[in-house]
Amino acid sequence: QVQLVESGGGLVHPGGSLSLSCVASGSIVSIYAMSWHRQAPGKEREFVASITSGGHTIYKGSVQGRFTISRDNSKKTLFLQMNSLSPDDTAVYYCKAVIEDTIGWTEDHWGQGTQVTVSA
């Protein structure tokens, strides 16, 4: 069984910073693309940023230059450094990973989410 566990969310003032982490564990053979998504109240879940196993990154336009996605393959960990946060960034943040397990299945796995609230 594969699990993704996020951490690092919380309350921050506008202009502040937060760092999120997501650790993968379980019967893992390989981790391919990893990504962050978010869902604000009353809105659909949206893509934030992704990173391939080789380190190629893609960002949602509104976070480009403020957020940095990275990963540590040896620790099966995904990171999201968020700077210059605004109230529009308030959401539950989810990590997703494409994982091949020991049974031979390759599929998407999601974490449970971590709340990020940006408020004065």
Side-chain angles (χ1 to χ4, degrees), residues 28-35 50-58 69-74 76-78 96-100:
I28 296 171
V29 172
S30 296
I31 303 176
Y32 301 108
M34 303 182 81
S35 55
S50 67
I51 184 168
T52 66
S53 56
H56 178 68
T57 59
I58 299 174
I69 189 171
S70 61
R71 62 193 283 174
D72 184 332
N73 292 329
S74 67
K76 299 184 179 64
T77 302
L78 177 69
K96 186 181 83 169
V98 181
I99 295 175
E100 178 184 357

Coordinates of all heavy atoms in Angstrom, one line a residue, residues 28-35 50-58 69-74 76-78 96-100:
I28 N 6.7 0.9 -2.7 CA 7.1 1.8 -3.9 C 8.2 1.2 -4.6 O 9.3 0.9 -4.0 CB 7.4 3.2 -3.4 CG1 6.1 3.8 -2.8 CG2 7.9 4.1 -4.6 CD1 6.4 5.1 -2.1
V29 N 8.1 1.1 -5.9 CA 9.2 0.7 -6.8 C 9.8 2.0 -7.4 O 11.0 2.2 -7.4 CB 8.8 -0.2 -7.9 CG1 9.9 -0.5 -8.9 CG2 8.3 -1.6 -7.3
S30 N 8.9 2.8 -8.0 CA 9.4 4.1 -8.6 C 8.4 5.2 -8.4 O 7.2 4.9 -8.4 CB 9.7 3.9 -10.1 OG 10.7 3.0 -10.4
I31 N 8.9 6.4 -8.3 CA 8.0 7.6 -8.3 C 8.3 8.4 -9.5 O 9.5 8.8 -9.7 CB 8.2 8.4 -7.0 CG1 8.0 7.6 -5.8 CG2 7.3 9.6 -7.0 CD1 8.2 8.3 -4.4
Y32 N 7.3 8.7 -10.3 CA 7.5 9.5 -11.5 C 7.2 10.9 -11.2 O 7.7 11.5 -10.3 CB 6.7 8.8 -12.6 CG 7.2 7.4 -12.9 CD1 6.3 6.3 -12.5 CD2 8.4 7.1 -13.5 CE1 6.8 5.0 -12.7 CE2 8.8 5.8 -13.7 CZ 8.0 4.7 -13.3 OH 8.4 3.4 -13.5
A33 N 6.3 11.5 -12.0 CA 5.9 12.9 -11.8 C 5.3 13.1 -10.5 O 4.5 12.3 -10.0 CB 5.0 13.4 -12.9
M34 N 5.6 14.2 -9.8 CA 4.9 14.6 -8.6 C 4.4 16.0 -8.7 O 5.0 16.8 -9.5 CB 5.9 14.6 -7.4 CG 6.6 13.2 -7.2 SD 7.7 13.1 -5.8 CE 6.5 12.9 -4.4
S35 N 3.3 16.3 -8.0 CA 2.7 17.7 -8.3 C 2.0 18.1 -7.0 O 1.6 17.3 -6.1 CB 1.8 17.6 -9.5 OG 0.8 16.6 -9.3
S50 N 4.2 21.1 -10.9 CA 4.6 19.7 -11.0 C 6.1 19.6 -11.3 O 6.8 20.6 -11.7 CB 3.9 19.1 -12.2 OG 4.3 19.6 -13.4
I51 N 6.7 18.4 -11.0 CA 8.1 18.2 -11.2 C 8.3 16.7 -11.6 O 7.7 15.8 -11.0 CB 8.9 18.5 -10.0 CG1 10.4 18.4 -10.2 CG2 8.5 17.7 -8.8 CD1 11.3 19.0 -9.1
T52 N 9.1 16.5 -12.7 CA 9.3 15.2 -13.1 C 10.4 14.6 -12.3 O 11.1 15.2 -11.5 CB 9.8 15.2 -14.6 OG1 11.1 15.8 -14.7 CG2 8.8 15.9 -15.5
S53 N 10.7 13.3 -12.5 CA 11.7 12.6 -11.7 C 13.1 13.2 -12.1 O 14.0 13.1 -11.3 CB 11.7 11.1 -12.0 OG 11.8 10.8 -13.4
G54 N 13.2 13.8 -13.2 CA 14.4 14.4 -13.7 C 14.6 15.9 -13.3 O 15.6 16.5 -13.6
G55 N 13.5 16.4 -12.7 CA 13.6 17.8 -12.2 C 13.0 18.9 -13.0 O 13.1 20.1 -12.7
H56 N 12.3 18.5 -14.1 CA 11.7 19.5 -15.0 C 10.4 20.0 -14.3 O 9.6 19.2 -13.8 CB 11.3 18.9 -16.3 CG 10.6 19.8 -17.2 ND1 11.2 20.9 -17.8 CD2 9.3 19.8 -17.7 CE1 10.3 21.6 -18.5 NE2 9.2 21.0 -18.5
T57 N 10.2 21.3 -14.2 CA 9.1 21.9 -13.5 C 8.2 22.7 -14.4 O 8.6 23.2 -15.4 CB 9.6 22.8 -12.4 OG1 10.4 23.8 -13.0 CG2 10.5 22.1 -11.4
I58 N 6.9 22.7 -13.9 CA 5.9 23.5 -14.6 C 5.1 24.1 -13.5 O 4.8 23.5 -12.4 CB 5.0 22.6 -15.4 CG1 5.7 21.9 -16.6 CG2 3.8 23.5 -16.0 CD1 4.9 21.0 -17.4
I69 N 8.8 24.4 -6.6 CA 8.6 23.0 -6.3 C 9.9 22.3 -6.4 O 10.8 22.6 -7.3 CB 7.5 22.4 -7.3 CG1 7.2 20.9 -6.9 CG2 8.0 22.5 -8.7 CD1 6.0 20.4 -7.7
S70 N 10.2 21.3 -5.5 CA 11.4 20.5 -5.6 C 11.1 19.2 -5.0 O 10.1 18.9 -4.4 CB 12.5 21.2 -4.8 OG 12.2 21.4 -3.5
R71 N 12.1 18.3 -5.2 CA 11.9 16.9 -4.6 C 13.2 16.3 -4.2 O 14.3 16.7 -4.8 CB 11.2 16.0 -5.6 CG 12.0 15.8 -6.9 CD 11.1 15.2 -8.0 NE 10.9 13.7 -7.8 CZ 10.1 13.0 -8.5 NH1 9.4 13.5 -9.5 NH2 10.0 11.7 -8.3
D72 N 13.2 15.4 -3.3 CA 14.4 14.7 -2.9 C 14.1 13.2 -3.1 O 13.3 12.6 -2.4 CB 14.7 14.9 -1.4 CG 16.0 14.2 -0.9 OD1 16.3 13.2 -1.5 OD2 16.6 14.7 0.0
N73 N 14.5 12.7 -4.2 CA 14.2 11.3 -4.6 C 14.7 10.3 -3.6 O 14.0 9.3 -3.4 CB 14.8 11.0 -6.0 CG 14.1 11.9 -7.1 OD1 12.9 12.2 -7.0 ND2 14.8 12.2 -8.2
S74 N 15.8 10.5 -3.0 CA 16.3 9.6 -2.0 C 15.4 9.4 -0.8 O 15.4 8.4 -0.2 CB 17.7 9.9 -1.6 OG 17.7 11.2 -0.9
K76 N 12.1 10.3 -1.0 CA 10.7 10.1 -1.5 C 9.9 11.3 -1.0 O 8.7 11.1 -0.6 CB 10.1 8.8 -1.1 CG 10.8 7.6 -1.6 CD 10.1 6.3 -1.2 CE 10.8 5.1 -1.7 NZ 12.1 4.9 -1.2
T77 N 10.4 12.5 -1.1 CA 9.8 13.7 -0.5 C 9.6 14.8 -1.6 O 10.6 15.1 -2.3 CB 10.5 14.2 0.7 OG1 10.6 13.2 1.7 CG2 9.8 15.4 1.3
L78 N 8.5 15.4 -1.6 CA 8.2 16.5 -2.4 C 8.0 17.8 -1.6 O 7.5 17.7 -0.5 CB 6.8 16.2 -3.2 CG 6.3 17.3 -4.1 CD1 7.2 17.5 -5.3 CD2 4.9 17.0 -4.5
K96 N 0.3 15.0 -5.2 CA -0.1 13.9 -6.1 C 1.2 13.3 -6.6 O 2.2 14.0 -6.9 CB -1.0 14.3 -7.2 CG -1.5 13.1 -8.0 CD -2.4 13.6 -9.2 CE -1.6 14.0 -10.4 NZ -2.5 14.2 -11.6
A97 N 1.3 12.0 -6.7 CA 2.4 11.3 -7.3 C 2.0 10.2 -8.2 O 1.1 9.4 -7.8 CB 3.4 10.9 -6.2
V98 N 2.7 10.0 -9.3 CA 2.5 8.8 -10.1 C 3.5 7.8 -9.6 O 4.7 8.0 -9.7 CB 2.7 9.2 -11.6 CG1 2.5 7.9 -12.4 CG2 1.8 10.3 -12.0
I99 N 3.0 6.7 -9.1 CA 3.9 5.7 -8.4 C 3.7 4.3 -8.9 O 2.5 3.9 -9.2 CB 3.6 5.7 -6.9 CG1 4.0 7.1 -6.3 CG2 4.3 4.6 -6.2 CD1 3.6 7.3 -4.9
E100 N 4.8 3.6 -9.2 CA 4.7 2.2 -9.5 C 5.0 1.4 -8.2 O 6.0 1.6 -7.5 CB 5.8 1.9 -10.6 CG 5.9 0.4 -10.9 CD 7.0 0.0 -11.8 OE1 7.7 1.0 -12.3 OE2 7.2 -1.2 -12.1

